[in-house]
Amino acid sequence: MNVISLLTPKTNVAWLYEDWTIRQGLEKLRFHGYTAIPVLAKDGSYVGTVSEGDFLWCLLDQGSGQPLRRVIRPGFNPAVRIDVALEELVERALRQSFIPVVDDRGAFVGIVTRQNIIKRLTVLNVEQPAAHM
C-alpha cells in the first residue's frame, strides 16, 4: 500500500510556524478543534508537533509570549518519509492520532491520520475476506 493514498496533503492540514507566539498557536488549535498540530519552519520543513498539554506546561512555566519553537518536545511525533512501510504507519498510529510525512528534503507534505489507516485496512479486509479452513 502506498502512503500517498492515505495522505492528507499539506494544503488540507492546519499547521503552525515555529516563530509564531503561543497565543497564535492556541488560537489556531482552538479554531480547528485539534488536540495536537504540526509545527513548520519558514522553509516548509517539519520541526515537530505541539499538543494542548505542551501549551499548558509552557504557559505555566514561561508565559504566553514565547515562540512555539520553545514549546516543542524533542522527539515527540517525528515525521516519516513518504516511502514509509505500512507496518511503521500502523505502529505509529497506535501512539499518535496523526503521523507527519516529509519528502526526501525533509519538507512537510502532509499527514496520515489514524482514521485514514483504519478506514483503508477495513476496506482491504472487507474486499479480501479470510479463506475458510
Side-chain angles (χ1 to χ4, degrees):
M1 178 184 317
N2 188 329
V3 71
I4 297 292
S5 64
L6 298 169
L7 188 75
T8 301
K10 178 181 176 181
T11 56
N12 297 341
V13 174
W15 41 268
L16 310 170
Y17 280 125
E18 68 178 336
D19 63 350
W20 285 6
T21 65
I22 302 297
R23 181 180 182 91
Q24 288 172 308
L26 282 169
E27 286 172 351
K28 194 159 190 178
L29 198 72
R30 180 168 68 174
F31 177 81
H32 290 283
Y34 294 162
T35 58
I37 193 166
V39 179
L40 309 181
K42 288 294 185 180
D43 67 1
S45 60
Y46 175 75
V47 175
T49 295
V50 292
S51 68
E52 291 173 318
D54 297 329
F55 282 112
L56 177 62
W57 290 117
C58 182
L59 287 171
L60 286 172
D61 294 341
Q62 302 169 1
S64 64
Q66 301 294 318
L68 282 171
R69 72 175 70 76
R70 300 213 34 196
V71 179
I72 299 168
R73 286 181 282 154
F76 174 65
N77 202 18
V80 296
R81 288 176 33 121
I82 198 78
D83 58 355
V84 66
L86 177 62
E87 293 79 19
E88 171 71 11
L89 282 176
V90 170
E91 195 272 319
R92 293 279 305 279
L94 292 172
R95 296 186 310 255
Q96 284 300 127
S97 60
F98 71 89
I99 300 104
V101 180
V102 296
D103 65 13
D104 293 340
R105 299 172 294 124
F108 180 74
V109 295
I111 63 172
V112 174
T113 64
R114 180 185 300 149
Q115 185 177 26
N116 282 354
I117 293 170
I118 292 169
K119 284 179 184 177
R120 178 57 53 93
L121 292 175
T122 303
V123 168
L124 287 175
N125 285 335
V126 168
E127 290 174 354
Q128 302 171 358
H132 296 288
M133 294 193 171

